[in-house]
Amino acid sequence: MARRIALRRPRLETIAQLEAELADCDEARRVELMAELDALKAKFRRIPYIDPIDIRYRRFETMPKPVAQAVMFCLMDVSGSMSEHMKDLAKRFYMLLYVFLTRRYRHVEIVFIRHTNRAEEVDEDTFFHGPASGGTLVSSALQAMHEIVRSRFRPADWNIYAAQASDGDNSLSDGVVAGRLLTEMILPVSQFFAYLEVGETGGSTFDMPDSSLWTLYQRLRADGAPLSMRKVSDRSQIFPVFHDLFHRRRKQEKAAP
């Protein structure tokens, strides 16, 4: 009613009264009434208003907004160059990442992908305990992740995270393919992508030489790719590295407008 008054929309009763007066008046008054009626009817048509009949048949209902969902992709190299110690470091990192996400989201999906020179999506038990060996093609894991995202996890509905763990050994010819998949397909739809390079125990991460995969990812970062990269060679380094990665992530989220 306040909107109707503010817009000065004429009342139907006013128009009816003028039309009734029109039937019993002299010619001079008729001309005035006709002009006034034409103006009121034009204004009535020009200014929209939701009448009771609209409210009766066009009900407004609230639509619940879905709770934020998250999916975590665990990409682990299980090729012949990965020792049991290296795999153990990768699995411990994935455990911390899982705890972190389950505290932030009501619903979390986990997709386990392991790869040698070919990738496969596996269940949790196979991922953590199943034996595997072979050559290495990192692009196979990235391609598998891309296909799964496209078929099951629409980026508009899911927050997509990925953690990749490897010793960094990769075919040089596969570097171009892996780089293109990462920058064009994976990173544009991901909230966060972390690469963990694992090494043998007994040395500092500063002593770990830069692998072919580390060198590739460093080059992509220099070109602006939002990659987070760390190296670990001992169990004691896992939590500090994880805390550093996600502490920076939280600070970035708070600083975002």
Side-chain angles (χ1 to χ4, degrees), residues 123-155:
D123 58 27
E124 180 179 352
D125 183 66
T126 303
F127 183 82
F128 285 103
H129 305 293
S133 185
T136 308
L137 283 178
V138 172
S139 63
S140 64
L142 298 175
Q143 181 64 39
M145 176 179 170
H146 169 59
E147 292 173 356
I148 293 170
V149 168
R150 189 170 56 179
S151 63
R152 286 157 42 193
F153 301 101
R154 201 166 73 101

Side-chain angles (χ1 to χ4, degrees), residues 152-214:
R152 286 157 42 193
F153 301 101
R154 201 166 73 101
D157 300 326
W158 292 81
N159 289 320
I160 299 171
Y161 293 81
Q164 179 185 8
S166 172
D167 63 349
D169 183 34
N170 190 34
S171 167
L172 292 177
S173 61
D174 188 55
V176 176
V177 180
R180 188 176 66 250
L181 281 167
L182 193 62
T183 56
E184 296 180 6
M185 304 297 181
I186 303 299
L187 293 179
V189 301
S190 300
Q191 299 291 321
F192 188 71
F193 191 101
Y195 171 62
L196 187 72
E197 186 153 303
V198 293
E200 288 294 356
T201 188
S204 168
T205 54
F206 295 103
D207 299 329
M208 293 173 60
D210 290 346
S211 65
S212 58
L213 192 58
W214 184 271

Side-chain angles (χ1 to χ4, degrees), residues 42-60:
K43 193 172 186 180
F44 190 92
R45 291 191 297 268
R46 187 168 61 249
I47 300 176
Y49 182 76
I50 300 177
D51 286 322
I53 190 68
D54 297 314
I55 297 175
R56 180 181 176 186
Y57 290 104
R58 299 178 185 177
R59 298 175 58 192
F60 296 94

Side-chain angles (χ1 to χ4, degrees), residues 1 4 17 24 29 37 45 65 67 84 92 94 103 114 119 132 146 166 170 181 184 186 208 232 243 249 254 256:
M1 183 60 69
R4 189 174 199 173
Q17 290 174 2
D24 187 21
R29 180 58 178 161
L37 278 169
R45 291 191 297 268
K65 185 178 181 179
V67 175
E84 289 304 314
R92 289 173 182 272
Y94 293 137
R103 288 181 177 179
R114 66 177 192 171
H146 169 59
S166 172
N170 190 34
L181 281 167
E184 296 180 6
I186 303 299
M208 293 173 60
V232 295
H243 182 268
R249 169 73 182 168
K254 290 179 181 178

